[in-house]
Each structure stands twice: as structure tokens, then as C-alpha cells.
DNA sequence: CTTGTCAAACTAATCGGTTTAGTTTAAATA
DNA sequence: TATTTAAACTAAACCGATTAGTTTGACAAG
């Protein structure tokens, strides 16, 4: 039918601002109400955009959700990377590991969206296995690998199984966050993060 | 208020069988599709019951969800308790703790509904804080307390902070289950549960 | 006659998704 | 500079299906 374009109008590429507004609105709603609990009308409204525009940018609800979560995984990945790349690798492991753990918990405590994000990833991991795998590949795996490499390059820690030890450390911290921050257990099972971190580091760098 | 019954019609008191069928159907659907993703029509259908009956037994959707999840928490609590009450308390801690950890992971691996249950509790913990608190009070807290008591009554372990050590142990195991079983990380980040358990127990009962 | 149940119809709202009819934008052309 | 063109956009109506929740009227049984 129409061959009339073909000039160079790749420019007006569907107005990046609208796309960004839609993604921002979708993030707000999906994080708050979950996938099934969020409607396209809501998203269009909070994005300040017509529903038709939402559909012209992202074909359907599932595509929008996937696109958003992929973005979000990459975004939060930056956080995790900066947490796990210890700035001062040369200090004693006790200090380095302790600082990493502290920063990780502090991040979770201050970044509300991070907890909401984790909740969605876990909660929708059954219906969106690709989302779960994106989390594993882009967040859990790099974090585990960086930490494993750190453990392996510090033989003075005398760790029999650095890979498994990483899992112990990550698990302790993440379950603490899940329990205290996500499951509202702060009042029911109070525990200072410092005590957990000290105990954990002491176990790993056993005196 | 009304004392009119008091005969012995505790029998046909809304037909326990129907109630059970509804709860069973609701469990199936809620665990599979989440709260917002499940409709009352679906529940009535899979329960083999009319929708009106569902509403006459449980006032509305939210009440049904809460009633079901309370039941489920109590049910799964039995599992957790039996996991944490070591049958043979008198063996060496290495054996006792190792057996507990193994049984916990095996349960999660074999009981599909257990993973679905955990997913829902975490996923809906933002919108249903009461559900999260029920989980904490009826499952996490007892498990942590039993294990804490076990640690405290075994001073030969020389644990500086038994409470925090429990968190390390529980966190390691539960994050392993979340990653491998719920987030489909088995293929991406393979790790034998035996290695994790051995490493964890070695750290706690440091030789 | 009360109680529990049923299927079915019903409400009013919302869902995901499409379509329409008309407007804004910015670049290309003349 | 004025005009044309095509894409992106808008609000609004529309679609059929589905939602949570109610009501009705009939039937069975203690």
C-alpha cells in the first residue's frame, strides 16, 4: 500500500517521553497492586496518557509488564552491583564483608520500591518464569559470582566451599530483609541488623 | 444473641462438607492464580457448589481468602513444627541440625503446594499485612524459637549469639529454597543441597 | 417451617482491547 | 514563508467478556 515514507522519519520514534511516562505509571501501579490487580485504564490515567497510546507503545498488558520488569531488573541490578563491588578490596575481609552487608540492608530499608520489587518478582515468579529467570541471571547470579570470586581470592579465610558459603551469607541477609521489611516482623521478632551481621561475619571469618 | 438452636443441630450447621469443598477449591485457585487473579465463579465451579453457597458460607472474597490462608498457615505450621522438633535431641548437634535442614529442603522440594503457599504469602504480604503477620507468628516465630532454645541448651556450640545464629541458619535454607525451587534457578545456579547444608553446619559447629 | 442448597438471572462496574473522529507536531516541499 | 503530509496523539465510544456480589424461586429434609 503505502511506500511513501522511507525518507528518514525514524526520528519521531513514538515520543520517548510518553513511553517513559507510561513505564513510570505502570511501575507505580504494578508495584502497588501486582499484575492481575492493575488495569490498563489505571496505568493510562496515572501516566497522563490515553489508553490507545499505551497500546500503541506496548502491544498488550503482558508485554508492558515484561518490558517494565526487564527495565526494573536492570535498574536494581546497578544497586546490587555497587553493593557487591567492595570499593576498598584491600581492607581486612571482616571490614569489607561487614560494610557490604550493612549497605545491602540499609538499601532495602530505605528503598521502599526495592521491597515492592522483590515482592512482585517472588509473587509472580510462578506465572512469569521469565521474570524470575531475569532476576536470577541479572541480579542473584552476578552478586553470587562477585562474592564467590572475593572468597576464592582470599584463601586466608580457609573456606572449604566458597560457593556454598556465599549462599549462606546472601541467604542470611535476604531472609532478614524479607522477614523484617517485607513481612512486617520488625515488631514481632525484633533483631538489630548489627547483631545478624556481626554473627554472620564471625561465623565466616571464624577467629 | 439467638439461643434457638442448642438442640443438636451442630450437624447441618451449614454442612461442613460444603465448607470444606469451598476451602479446598479456593486453595487450589488462590495458590495457582493469586488473590486478584482468582474469581469467585472459578472457586464455586471447582468446588462443585453454587456461587450463592460460597457467599453464604464466607461473606465476601477477602474473608474467604483470609479464612483460607489462616487455615493454611495452621496446616503448614504442623509441617514446620515437625521439622524443627528434632526427634533425637540427644545426638550430636551436627547430626541433629543436619537432619533438620535436610528434611526442610526435602519437604519444600516434594510439596509443590508449599512453594505456592510461600509465594502467595510473600507476594500478597503488601496488600494483606495480616496474612504476613499470621505467617510470622505461626510459622517463622515458633521455628525460630525452637531452634533458639536448642542452640541455647547446647553451650558446647559456643555460640556468642544463638538468636542471630538461628537467623543465619533459617535464612540460608529458605533463600536456597526460594532461589532453586521458586525462582527456577536450578539450571542457572546449580548447587547440591548437601553442599549448602554441610557448609552451613560446619560454620555453626566450627571444628 | 426452618435451613441449606441450588441454578439462574441480575446488577453495575470493570476488564483488556479496538475503533473512531479529530487534533497536535515537526519535518519536507515549494 | 506558506502548504502539505504522515505520524503520534487525544478523548470517547464501543466491544464482548468478566468481575464481585445479590436476589429469586424452587426443592429437599429434619
Amino acid at each position: 500500500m503505502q511506500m511513501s515514507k522511507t525518507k528518514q522519519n525514524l526520528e519521531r520514534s513514538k515520543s520517548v517521553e510518553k513511553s517513559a511516562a507510561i513505564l513510570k505509571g505502570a511501575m507505580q501501579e504494578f508495584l502497588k497492586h501486582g499484575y492481575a490487580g492493575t488495569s490498563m485504564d489505571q496505568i493510562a490515567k496515572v501516566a497522563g496518557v490515553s489508553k490507545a497510546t499505551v497500546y500503541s507503545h506496548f502491544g498488550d498488558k503482558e508485554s508492558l509488564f515484561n518490558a517494565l520488569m526487564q527495565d526494573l531488573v536492570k535498574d536494581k541490578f546497578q544497586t546490587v552491583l555497587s553493593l557487591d563491588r567492595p570499593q576498598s578490596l584491600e581492607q581486612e575481609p571482616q571490614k569489607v564483608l561487614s560494610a557490604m552487608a550493612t549497605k545491602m540492608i540499609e538499601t532495602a530499608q530505605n528503598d521502599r520500591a526495592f521491597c515492592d520489587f522483590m515482592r512482585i518478582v517472588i509473587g509472580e515468579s510462578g506465572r512469569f518464569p521469565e521474570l524470575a529467570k531475569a532476576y536470577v541471571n541479572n541480579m542473584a547470579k552476578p552478586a553470587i559470582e562477585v562474592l564467590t570470586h572475593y572468597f576464592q581470592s582470599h584463601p586466608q579465610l580457609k573456606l572449604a566451599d566458597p560457593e556454598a558459603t556465599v549462599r549462606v551469607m546472601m541467604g542470611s541477609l535476604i531472609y532478614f530483609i524479607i522477614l523484617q521489611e517485607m513481612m512486617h516482623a520488625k515488631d514481632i521478632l525484633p533483631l538489630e541488623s548489627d547483631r545478624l551481621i556481626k554473627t554472620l561475619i564471625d561465623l565466616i571469618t571464624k577467629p
Side-chain angles (χ1 to χ4, degrees), chain A residues 65-127:
Chain A
F65 181 73
N66 280 320
L68 169 74
M69 295 309 286
Q70 295 293 336
D71 273 21
L72 223 41
V73 164
K74 288 203 180 93
D75 185 74
K76 301 294 174 193
F77 163 72
Q78 302 301 332
T79 310
V80 171
L81 239 210
S82 82
L83 291 174
D84 279 311
R85 290 252 177 242
Q87 323 65 335
S88 45
L89 283 146
E90 302 311 328
Q91 288 194 282
E92 337 146 24
Q94 300 228 12
K95 298 254 178 186
V96 175
L97 295 175
S98 201
M100 276 172 49
T102 303
K103 211 162 140 198
M104 189 167 160
I105 288 178
E106 270 174 5
T107 299
Q109 282 170 339
N110 300 332
D111 190 349
R112 283 280 298 116
F114 191 87
C115 283
D116 291 342
F117 167 78
M118 287 295 296
R119 238 196 296 259
I120 279 243
V121 171
I122 296 175
E124 307 285 2
S125 61
R127 284 171 295 275

Side-chain angles (χ1 to χ4, degrees), chain A residues 111-158:
Chain A
D111 190 349
R112 283 280 298 116
F114 191 87
C115 283
D116 291 342
F117 167 78
M118 287 295 296
R119 238 196 296 259
I120 279 243
V121 171
I122 296 175
E124 307 285 2
S125 61
R127 284 171 295 275
F128 293 90
E130 295 309 312
L131 168 58
K133 285 179 184 166
Y135 164 81
V136 172
N137 275 312
N138 297 301
M139 298 186 64
K141 195 179 171 196
I144 287 173
E145 279 171 353
V146 167
L147 209 50
T148 303
H149 180 261
Y150 180 83
F151 279 164
Q152 283 169 342
S153 61
H154 288 73
Q156 72 266 38
L157 290 172
K158 302 222 181 258

